[in-house]
């Protein structure tokens, strides 16, 4: 059976599509054997100097030239020629995607192993590990081929015209109001952020979305850095089984009843899978989550369709030191890295963030915008869709358990649809639409209040009365100013 490195080199000479994607990134030090390493070096030099692939005939000629010029020994020549004969042996065509994945994984393992060896040597010599060595290790772990290549604008014109008529893949929210203002939900390769104050419903919204998406057949990875796996699972149970969290914990709803409800759900065999992973705050980063995504695909044979992070500010970045960088830099870096995961795995990323104290002020909370994002303005700069979950102070809103979604950034829809009125059921961990949300989406908060408050006309009358009172005061002030001006004028005459 051929070794993987021999298969890699044989494929370079026999599969042009594979060679075009691998050769630009090939590194001779990845290969173990003397012959494989040197032939890989020949491939690299030919590509770098002439921008073309070396042929087997040229490999043979190079070996003979090295021997005749006494640059290699008899034993080395014999080793190279023996390996050359193996490269010339019959080649069995391999599935291109599988071969690329195996090659990429092999390169990752070899590069990581080599950098680890250097670190072990440093330990043995009682030397400190340099940050540059750590970054090289990260580069090895995250090594990838740029399989997309370059987009040729003119050559892709016809394909581009066809794509315009195709429907963009969307991952819908559990709320029709959000789907309406985003033209169907979240796009792939995107970052969506729900912002709220402490206890404002961030985790409930994320759990609500996870519950909704698995029912639609999507596989979800839920990373929690704040609450335990059991707490997240409890919210999912409450949402799916229509039992309040308190009734589940206090066993007012019996376990047998919950089992019966789960068994009675029609079509759950077509649901997607939900994977939940818990990390301490500040521990997980994009590299660790990448490993989770790959491990799920490898061990559970399930591709994750959407990534949920609870929540983004509690993650870490592998690019900057937490001691040296500002919160702006750190949070922006985290946002860029997790959005990069979405781009790499072709999935949407859904997360949340805290609002700052200005969003709690009764006089300004309805106006709280992107400036109310805690820690870093770099987060809204990076994300694709963002909204603020506001808890209005009006008694009618509190009594009805209503919330106001204020859209802060929207790359997928009409920016004029700014406000959404929704209902929050904390016990069952779910948000739901409110009747009439279609018209409310284009209204201002004062108009939204009037739509649900029976005393709305009185509120509007009070506003009008205040305006009239101010107008009368202004008129009285004008008269007084004119009077004093006339008095001064008359006094100046005498």
């Amino acid at each position: 059976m051929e070794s993987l490195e021999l298969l890699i080199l044989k494929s370079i000479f026999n599969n042009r599509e594979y060679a075009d994607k691998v050769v630009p990134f090939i590194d001779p030090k990845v290969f173990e054997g003397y012959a494989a390493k040197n032939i890989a070096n020949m491939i690299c030099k030919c590509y770098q100097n002439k921008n073309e692939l070396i042929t087997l005939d040229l490999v043979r000629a190079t070996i003979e030239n090295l021997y005749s010029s006494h640059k290699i020994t008899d034993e080395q020549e014999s080793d190279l020629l023996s390996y050359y004969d193996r490269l010339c042996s019959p080649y069995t065509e391999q599935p291109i995607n599988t071969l690329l994945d195996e090659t990429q994984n092999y390169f990752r393992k070899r590069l990581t192993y080599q950098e680890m060896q250097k670190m072990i040597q440093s330990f043995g010599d009682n030397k400190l590990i340099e940050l540059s060595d750590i970054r090289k290790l990260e580069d090895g772990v995250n090594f990838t081929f740029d399989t997309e290549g370059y987009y040729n604008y003119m050559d892709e014109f016809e394909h581009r015209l066809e794509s315009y008529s195709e429907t963009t893949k969307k991952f819908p929210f559990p709320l029709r109001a959000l789907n309406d203002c985003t033209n169907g939900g979240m796009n792939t390769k995107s970052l969506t952020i729900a912002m709220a104050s402490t206890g404002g419903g961030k985790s409930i919204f994320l759990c609500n979305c996870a519950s909704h998406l698995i029912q639609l057949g999507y596989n979800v990875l839920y990373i929690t850095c704040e609450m335990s796996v059991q707490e997240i699972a409890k919210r999912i149970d409450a949402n799916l089984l229509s039992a309040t969290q308190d009734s589940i914990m206090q066993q007012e709803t019996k376990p047998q009843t919950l089992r019966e409800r789960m068994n009675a759900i029609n079509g759950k065999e077509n649901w997607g899978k939900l994977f939940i992973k818990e990390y301490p705050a500040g521990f997980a980063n994009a590299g660790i989550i990448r490993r989770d995504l790959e491990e799920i695909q490898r061990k559970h044979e399930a591709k994750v369709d959407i990534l949920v992070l609870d929540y983004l500010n509690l993650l870490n970045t592998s690019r900057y030191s937490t001691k040296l960088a500002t919160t702006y830099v750190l949070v922006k870096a985290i946002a860029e890295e997790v959005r990069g995961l979405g781009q790499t795995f072709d999935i949407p990323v859904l997360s949340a963030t805290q609002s700052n104290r200005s969003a709690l002020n009764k006089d300004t909370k309805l106006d709280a915008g992107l400036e109310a994002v805690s820690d870093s303005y770099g987060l809204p700069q990076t994300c694709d869709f963002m909204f603020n979950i506001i808890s209005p102070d009006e008694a009618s809103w509190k009594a009805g358990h209503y919330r106001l979604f204020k859209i802060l950034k929207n790359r997928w829809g009409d920016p004029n649809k700014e406000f959404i009125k929704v209902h929050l059921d904390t016990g069952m961990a779910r948000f739901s639409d409110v009747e009439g949300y279609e018209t409310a989406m284009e209204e201002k908060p004062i108009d939204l209040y009037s739509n649900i408050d029976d005393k709305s006309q009185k509120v509007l009358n009070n506003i009008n009365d205040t305006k009239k009172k101010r107008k009368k005061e202004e008129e009285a002030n004008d008269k007084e100013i004119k009077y004093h001006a006339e008095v001064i004028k008359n006094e100046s005459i005498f």
Side-chain angles (χ1 to χ4, degrees), residues 183-376:
N183 288 313
M186 295 172 281
N187 286 8
T188 60
K189 302 182 180 182
S190 66
L191 175 60
T192 296
I193 297 293
M195 181 173 76
S197 58
T198 301
K202 298 186 298 296
S203 293
I204 287 179
F205 179 79
L206 298 179
C207 289
N208 196 176
C209 288
S211 304
H212 178 68
L213 288 163
I214 62 171
Q215 292 179 76
L216 297 178
Y218 296 111
N219 296 325
V220 179
L221 171 59
Y222 195 113
I223 302 291
T224 173
C225 302
E226 187 175 37
M227 292 184 289
S228 66
V229 170
Q230 289 74 19
E231 283 294 322
I232 298 300
K234 181 181 69 176
R235 283 163 171 75
I236 303 291
D237 285 337
N239 187 295
L240 295 177
L241 303 177
S242 297
T244 65
Q245 298 179 61
D246 288 342
S247 70
I248 292 174
M249 292 299 295
Q250 298 169 11
Q251 294 196 353
E252 293 173 5
T253 303
K254 301 297 182 184
Q256 184 58 32
T257 302
L258 296 176
R259 292 191 190 97
E260 291 172 356
R261 290 183 184 179
M262 180 61 78
N263 294 332
I265 295 174
N266 291 323
K268 68 175 183 293
E269 62 276 3
N270 297 320
W271 285 12
K273 297 179 180 179
L274 173 62
F275 303 94
I276 309 173
K277 189 67 177 286
E278 178 185 351
Y279 287 109
F283 178 82
N285 58 35
I288 291 174
I289 297 170
R290 175 193 288 271
R291 182 198 64 192
D292 292 332
L293 292 167
E294 293 173 344
E295 187 175 337
I296 289 171
Q297 188 164 359
R298 185 175 65 255
K299 289 186 177 180
H300 299 274
E301 298 182 349
K303 179 186 180 298
V304 173
D305 297 305
I306 181 167
L307 173 63
V308 181
L309 305 173
D310 190 0
Y311 57 93
L312 188 136
N313 300 62
L314 297 179
L315 297 176
N316 203 345
T317 172
S318 58
R319 289 189 288 169
Y320 301 99
S321 168
T322 54
K323 294 181 180 179
L324 301 177
T326 63
T327 55
Y328 170 86
V329 172
L330 291 175
V331 176
K332 188 174 190 296
I334 294 169
E336 290 170 347
E337 289 166 14
V338 298
R339 192 176 185 278
L341 284 178
Q343 292 174 300
T344 302
F345 289 89
D346 192 23
I347 59 175
V349 180
L350 173 62
S351 190
T353 189
Q354 291 270 28
S355 57
N356 58 30
R357 284 179 293 179
S358 67
L360 297 175
N361 190 304
K362 292 183 178 181
D363 297 326
T364 60
K365 67 162 55 179
L366 294 177
D367 297 320
L370 296 177
E371 76 285 347
V373 179
S374 67
D375 294 335
S376 176

Side-chain angles (χ1 to χ4, degrees), residues 130-189:
E130 300 293 334
L131 287 176
S132 59
D133 294 331
I134 297 176
R135 292 195 178 97
K136 287 179 182 178
L137 179 61
E138 292 172 350
D139 291 340
V141 172
N142 298 318
F143 175 85
T144 183
F145 296 123
D146 181 9
T147 55
E148 296 298 321
Y150 293 98
Y151 182 89
N152 190 313
Y153 175 80
M154 298 304 294
D155 292 347
E156 296 290 335
F157 180 69
E158 289 298 330
H159 182 267
R160 192 160 61 249
L161 289 181
E162 294 178 6
S163 68
Y164 290 152
S165 60
E166 296 175 358
T167 304
T168 303
K169 185 177 181 180
K170 288 284 190 175
F171 293 78
F173 294 103
L175 296 166
R176 286 181 294 135
L178 281 180
N179 292 330
D180 281 356
C181 71
T182 55
N183 288 313
M186 295 172 281
N187 286 8
T188 60
K189 302 182 180 182

